[in-house]
Amino acid sequence: MSLQKSDIKYSTDLDSEGESESKGSTFEGEITITLVNRETEDFKDLDIRRIKEFMMKDFEASCIPGYIGVACLPNGRTVIADYKNSRCCLCNASYQHLSDFKLSSKPWSVCAMDTNEVAVVLRDEKKIQFLKVDGKIESSGFMITKRVCVAVVALSRNEFVFCDTGNQADKNIYWGVITKEGREKSCFHFSSGDVHSGTVYLALNALKTQVYISCSATQSVLCFGLDGKKKFEYKIENSCPKGIQLDSQDNVYVVVHESNSIRLLSPDGNLHQIFNSNIPSFPVAISFKHSSKEFILTNGSDTDRKICYVYKLAERMDYNISVT
């Protein structure tokens, strides 16, 4: 681990107590400040720093976007799903808006499939749209689902974890694995709610052996193995969990919409920390950049909802100071 060292010459007047006529004596020496990075153990000193803001170009004068989902691709590009305007926006690695793809209905989620392809859930059509992302964004096919999917996350290019929050008649919530051809490999029921809700976000751990579900209907974050067995459930009472994403260490970041915060959970569902400073009003979706400590956060504020934010995880630092 690299260290940064700064040697500072320091001089000052030290008043001599009891010598009223003296102007003091002059001390000259060196203060050596050594910056030491330590591995974060308890996450109490971990912080996030906002490093950039960016916004999409409006494709029509009356455009009022609603950024419901964001997917960061390994090639450095970012795709943002705009619910209110039924489009996906493509940004380059510097967050410059390159182009749009007009969708046939409102998107409910977007996930990266591989280096240059994303999957977009179009719930109202029972459809998953595939988009190729290169110099521009264009269709690469679609599939029709039997269930009313509201979110998917890619296990591979040919398999997805899906979530179905039911409808007004059937308010049960399901998740499972579906193939790119629409074949359902598994399906598990995990909740029956009095109020139908379509707000669900999905994430996978690095090994793609566990599914993390952020569900506003249950006001909780749930973790399951691919065999359907529940690993944990973390309750977020009287609020609205939204976007969910894992870092390279499988720590879980949950966007809490109504409290304008991000909760950091351990891989086994224990609360590490709550970030609530420099978070925009009503945050919605989150996505980490590939192999990076940077992540993008979108928001649903009435005042600045056209803006997306880029954050960076801050390392824990200590300072060793010596005076000679």
Side-chain angles (χ1 to χ4, degrees):
M1 190 173 293
S2 62
L3 300 178
Q4 297 176 359
K5 184 175 180 180
S6 176
D7 294 335
I8 304 173
K9 290 264 185 171
Y10 179 83
S11 65
T12 184
D13 286 341
L14 301 177
D15 292 333
S16 177
E17 186 176 352
E19 296 183 9
S20 58
E21 293 182 0
S22 173
K23 294 182 179 180
S25 60
T26 299
F27 167 81
E28 289 190 1
E30 290 187 354
I31 296 179
T32 302
I33 302 175
T34 304
L35 179 62
V36 181
N37 293 338
R38 297 193 311 188
E39 294 293 334
T40 302
E41 297 177 355
D42 56 12
F43 289 84
K44 291 181 180 179
D45 293 330
L46 183 66
D47 200 2
I48 57 175
R49 298 171 184 167
R50 186 189 295 180
I51 60 176
K52 191 176 182 65
E53 301 176 3
F54 66 100
M55 59 197 307
M56 306 301 107
K57 297 175 183 177
D58 294 344
F59 65 93
E60 55 188 45
S62 60
C63 173
I64 303 176
Y67 301 137
I68 197 170
V70 55
C72 295
L73 298 173
N75 63 8
R77 299 182 185 273
T78 302
V79 176
I80 299 174
D82 180 358
Y83 175 84
K84 291 182 180 290
N85 295 283
S86 301
R87 65 170 175 167
C88 280
C89 308
L90 173 63
C91 297
N92 63 17
S94 300
Y95 309 107
Q96 296 172 320
H97 186 182
L98 299 178
S99 62
D100 291 326
F101 183 88
K102 184 66 175 175
L103 299 164
S104 54
S105 60
K106 295 182 183 299
W108 282 76
S109 76
V110 59
C111 74
M113 293 172 60
D114 59 16
T115 302
N116 63 347
E117 194 172 17
V118 299
V120 185
V121 175
L122 305 178
R123 189 197 74 165
D124 297 342
E125 301 178 63
K126 292 187 177 180
K127 177 179 176 181
I128 297 178
Q129 174 76 59
F130 303 118
L131 299 175
K132 185 178 180 180
V133 179
D134 203 349
K136 59 180 179 179
I137 184 168
E138 57 187 355
S139 175
S140 58
F142 66 90
M143 78 178 201
I144 301 298
T145 61
K146 295 180 180 179
R147 295 184 179 274
V148 184
C149 295
V150 294
V152 295
V153 62
L155 279 169
S156 66
R157 287 197 75 255
N158 297 309
E159 289 187 346
F160 302 88
V161 173
F162 72 88
C163 192
D164 168 20
T165 57
N167 50 43
Q168 293 296 339
D170 179 7
K171 298 175 182 178
N172 292 307
I173 304 177
Y174 304 89
W175 76 271
V177 177
I178 191 173
T179 68
K180 196 173 181 179
E181 293 75 30
R183 182 172 65 89
E184 197 172 279
K185 296 184 66 175
S186 63
C187 184
F188 307 100
H189 169 263
F190 73 87
S191 179
S192 299
D194 295 331
V195 180
H196 165 64
S197 172
T199 309
V200 169
Y201 287 82
L202 298 174
L204 294 170
N205 64 341
L207 295 177
K208 296 189 177 181
T209 57
Q210 294 187 168
V211 181
Y212 296 79
I213 303 175
S214 172
C215 180
S216 62
T218 60
Q219 295 189 352
S220 64
V221 173
L222 302 103
C223 176
F224 297 91
L226 290 181
D227 58 1
K229 293 182 180 179
K230 185 191 291 186
K231 302 294 184 180
F232 71 79
E233 181 173 4
Y234 174 82
K235 284 288 186 180
I236 303 179
E237 303 289 352
N238 302 317
S239 193
C240 186
K242 292 275 190 179
I244 185 169
Q245 184 80 103
L246 275 65
D247 64 18
S248 60
Q249 303 300 315
D250 283 346
N251 297 300
V252 187
Y253 296 75
V254 186
V255 176
V256 186
H257 186 65
E258 293 179 358
S259 64
N260 303 340
S261 64
I262 297 174
R263 297 201 184 191
L264 171 58
L265 310 180
S266 67
D268 57 357
N270 294 314
L271 179 64
H272 277 325
Q273 192 173 350
I274 298 176
F275 302 114
N276 53 18
S277 61
N278 296 317
I279 303 297
S281 300
F282 306 110
V284 178
I286 184 173
S287 181
F288 272 88
K289 296 194 71 176
H290 187 68
S291 301
S292 171
K293 292 186 177 181
E294 290 185 14
F295 64 85
I296 297 174
L297 185 67
T298 69
N299 72 89
S301 168
D302 290 335
T303 57
D304 62 357
R305 59 188 170 190
K306 293 185 179 183
I307 299 175
C308 299
Y309 300 88
V310 185
Y311 292 85
K312 186 172 184 178
L313 295 178
E315 296 180 354
R316 184 177 180 180
M317 297 180 180
D318 287 335
Y319 293 91
N320 291 336
I321 301 177
S322 60
V323 179
T324 58

